[in-house]
Amino acid sequence: MVILVMATSVQSQGGLKAGFYSSSCPGAEAIVRSTVESHFKKDPTVAAGLLRLHFHDCFVQGCDGSVLIAGSSAERSALPNLGLRGFEVIDDAKTQLEASCPGVVSCADILALAARDAVDLSDGPSWQVPTGRRDGRVSSSQGLNLPSPLDSVTVQRQKFAAKGLDDHDLVTLVGAHTIGQTDCQFFRYRLYNFTTTGNADPSISQSFLAQLQALCPKDGDGTKRVALDIDSQNKFDASFFKNVRDGKGVLESDQRLWEDAATRNIVQNYAGTIRGLLGFRFDFEFPKAMIKMSSIEVKTGSDGEIRKICSKFN
């Protein structure tokens, strides 16, 4: 489903514009799309990986491909980034783009386009991605201020506000957890001994608690994967918000959105009461929040460079 976001908002996002490569590399978006699609057909869970990769890129030094740089002191080696995946999809697309338009399309743009395609392939909305980002020349594993599954709403709000994103953007973007998985180790503490009296997190619904405890036994494998949206982990929809409303948020940071009045109101809106009717609202709002997020601190014009290989500086 294509949702046209008002053309004016798409035209200029920090020097970016839709169709930036229309004359310099006309097939650029199609090449990224077909690459994402071929990887997605083999493994649909790569969609969430690509979306998360773009998000983590934008939150550190802006959307400049800095997360793609390999190396022990680079951004991707920082603790919160160790679970990132989808790098091979970006590298694959870059190899094809270099063959047809050498030195033209940035890795940062490939990542932004791939994130959009990943959502679209997962039955979510599609949108025009403003392009023209250039690749950064700095990537450090130090000083990342990425959101964490342990964050309260207050802390989440501060981290998003530092990037120019408000409560509405925060809840909308966290809705990306409608696809993807997490490890037992990142939420198991909620299931056992969460309170001083040794009980589970009281915000988890009782029936869901039993389900999670069965998936993640107390002394079981911490790296076992569990869907963030238990009902439809490969389908991009509004069910994530219904889960949060019903005490079925897997990550503590997700469930906390129900306990703050401002964020709760937005979750309630997206969860809707009339089947299907208000789910559309999320489909409409998510592209707008993504366009805003993907223009955080972008480098354009003569800033940065166009990498030849996404995992290393020129």
Side-chain angles (χ1 to χ4, degrees), residues 200-220:
D201 182 339
S203 65
I204 305 174
S205 91
Q206 280 308 112
S207 60
F208 191 53
L209 177 61
Q211 204 179 336
L212 289 180
Q213 287 173 332
L215 288 167
C216 297
K218 196 168 189 173
D219 301 311

Side-chain angles (χ1 to χ4, degrees), residues 42 74 115 181 256 271 281 293:
K42 287 180 275 196
Q181 304 164 302
R256 296 290 163 257
R281 185 177 296 175
M293 184 199 81

Side-chain angles (χ1 to χ4, degrees), residues 264-280:
R264 177 182 186 145
N265 196 27
I266 304 160
V267 170
Q268 181 82 61
N269 263 341
Y270 286 149
T273 42
I274 306 157
R275 192 163 183 77
L277 187 63
L278 289 173
F280 171 75

